[in-house]
């Protein structure tokens, strides 16, 4: 089961059900009118909207208009029986990301959904989170010019790769996950070393100092980690 959430907006029961079946690997929600779709969009975040154009309540075009007007950047694939090039061009201009003509092929729907999700990333795509960091669709954490990927354990500063030891990486990851939090040396030691703390300030200091030196070597312009005197460390955001 994939964790991307897809809103299917289609008033024909059978077609809606068919789309939900085709996309059963994803978390799907079905809306059967334009007004229902608007309610869902107001109450939850989706990674993709599959949108019919001729709908009761609000038309598909009105929904795209509403979404973009509200700053909802969720990608939209229009699925419509409208054959005219002008209709397709129109919805793409309005901010739809792709267009599938009815009647559709199952494989085509799947391929286009996958392509749009890949292109647009997930719902945590480059929109700044309240925490101050961004998270890309592959899980890469981004703060300013600094990126960190948990899976590949790669870190870059100003586009340059920074080779870190395991502990340095773990410290940085913790700081980047909670960029507004000030971590005491005890916090860091307990979390990163996973051992009980008996005043190992020096251990933390040494690793922190090495980590900062490596970041500074890659990017002299930016101080990524700030010392909060008397308390500890936090990201400099
Ligand atoms: Ca319809």
């Amino acid at each position: 089961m994939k964790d991307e959430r897809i809103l299917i907006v289609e008033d024909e029961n059978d077609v809606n059900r068919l789309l939900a079946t085709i996309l059963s690997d994803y978390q799907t929600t079905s809306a059967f009118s334009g007004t229902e779709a608007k309610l869902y969009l107001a109450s939850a975040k989706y990674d993709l909207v599959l949108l019919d154009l001729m709908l009761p309540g609000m038309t598909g075009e009105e929904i795209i208009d509403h979404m973009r007007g509200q700053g909802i950047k969720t990608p939209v694939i229009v699925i419509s029986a409208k054959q005219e090039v002008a209709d397709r061009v129109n919805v793409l201009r309005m901010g739809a990301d792709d267009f599938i003509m009815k009647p559709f092929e199952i494989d085509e729907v799947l391929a286009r959904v996958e392509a749009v999700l890949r292109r647009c990333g997930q719902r945590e795509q480059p929109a700044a989170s309240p925490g101050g960091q961004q998270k890309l669709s592959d899980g890469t954490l981004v703060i300013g010019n600094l990126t960190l990927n948990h899976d590949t354990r790669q870190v870059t500063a100003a586009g340059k790769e920074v080779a870190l030891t395991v502990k340095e990486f773990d410290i940085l990851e913790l700081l980047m996950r909670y960029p507004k939090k000030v971590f005491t040396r005890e916090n860091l030691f307990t979390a990163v070393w996973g051992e009980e703390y008996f005043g190992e300030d020096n251990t933390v200091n040494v690793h922190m100092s090495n980590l900062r030196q490596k970041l500074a070597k890659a990017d002299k312009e930016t101080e990524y980690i700030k010392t909060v005197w008397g308390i500890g460390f936090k990201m400099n955001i």
Side-chain angles (χ1 to χ4, degrees), residues 10-12 52 54:
E10 166 63 67
D11 59 318
E12 281 163 71
D52 182 25
M54 287 178 273

Side-chain angles (χ1 to χ4, degrees), residues 136-176:
L136 304 183
S137 57
D138 67 350
T140 301
L141 290 171
V142 182
I143 296 179
N145 285 332
L146 191 62
T147 75
L148 176 144
N149 186 295
H150 175 81
D151 295 330
T152 61
R153 296 191 78 85
Q154 272 177 321
V155 172
T156 67
K160 274 177 240 157
E161 193 145 338
V162 185
L164 298 179
T165 65
V166 173
K167 297 289 189 241
E168 290 159 5
F169 182 93
D170 290 348
I171 291 172
L172 184 63
E173 181 173 21
L174 194 58
L175 292 174
M176 285 180 76

Side-chain angles (χ1 to χ4, degrees), residues 67-104:
M67 285 175 68
R68 300 314 183 220
Q70 297 281 308
I72 302 171
K73 296 194 174 73
T74 310
V76 173
I77 300 179
V78 167
I79 300 194
S80 175
K82 288 190 177 178
Q83 302 278 343
E84 300 296 320
V85 176
D87 291 319
R88 270 182 284 162
V89 171
N90 184 36
V91 293
L92 293 172
R93 280 226 177 96
M94 286 176 76
D97 297 84
D98 206 347
F99 193 103
I100 299 173
M101 207 110 76
K102 280 182 188 168
F104 51 77

Side-chain angles (χ1 to χ4, degrees), residues 31-224:
F32 297 89
S33 72
T35 31
E36 198 184 354
K38 193 178 160 190
L39 286 177
Y40 279 124
L41 286 165
S43 61
K45 281 193 173 158
Y46 296 92
D47 300 294
L48 177 67
V49 178
L50 279 191
L51 185 64
D52 182 25
L53 291 181
M54 287 178 273
L55 290 163
M58 278 169 94
T59 66
E61 287 95 336
E62 282 169 338
I63 290 174
I64 297 176
D65 225 20
H66 164 76
M67 285 175 68
R68 300 314 183 220
Q70 297 281 308
I72 302 171
K73 296 194 174 73
T74 310
V76 173
I77 300 179
V78 167
I79 300 194
S80 175
K82 288 190 177 178
Q83 302 278 343
E84 300 296 320
V85 176
D87 291 319
R88 270 182 284 162
V89 171
N90 184 36
V91 293
L92 293 172
R93 280 226 177 96
M94 286 176 76
D97 297 84
D98 206 347
F99 193 103
I100 299 173
M101 207 110 76
K102 280 182 188 168
F104 51 77
E105 299 283 336
I106 290 174
D107 287 345
E108 187 190 5
V109 172
L110 269 177
R112 285 184 190 258
V113 164
E114 280 164 18
V116 168
L117 285 175
R118 210 165 38 230
R119 206 161 65 223
C120 300
Q122 300 174 352
R123 58 186 171 274
E124 287 171 304
Q125 68 188 325
S129 76
Q133 91 279 55
Q134 302 174 335
K135 198 170 169 198
L136 304 183
S137 57
D138 67 350
T140 301
L141 290 171
V142 182
I143 296 179
N145 285 332
L146 191 62
T147 75
L148 176 144
N149 186 295
H150 175 81
D151 295 330
T152 61
R153 296 191 78 85
Q154 272 177 321
V155 172
T156 67
K160 274 177 240 157
E161 193 145 338
V162 185
L164 298 179
T165 65
V166 173
K167 297 289 189 241
E168 290 159 5
F169 182 93
D170 290 348
I171 291 172
L172 184 63
E173 181 173 21
L174 194 58
L175 292 174
M176 285 180 76
R177 284 207 186 278
Y178 306 96
K180 288 188 175 162
K181 182 179 158 68
V182 179
F183 287 89
T184 63
R185 290 172 177 81
E186 179 173 0
N187 288 155
L188 290 172
F189 186 83
T190 319
V192 170
W193 276 261
E195 291 167 25
E196 211 178 325
Y197 176 78
F198 295 110
E200 281 86 351
D201 283 358
N202 204 36
T203 311
V204 175
N205 287 345
V206 167
H207 283 81
M208 183 59 79
S209 156
N210 290 342
L211 168 60
R212 284 169 139 173
Q213 273 175 29
K214 289 179 181 178
L215 293 174
K217 207 177 158 204
D219 179 8
K220 288 181 191 64
E221 304 301 309
T222 319
E223 191 194 26
Y224 288 104

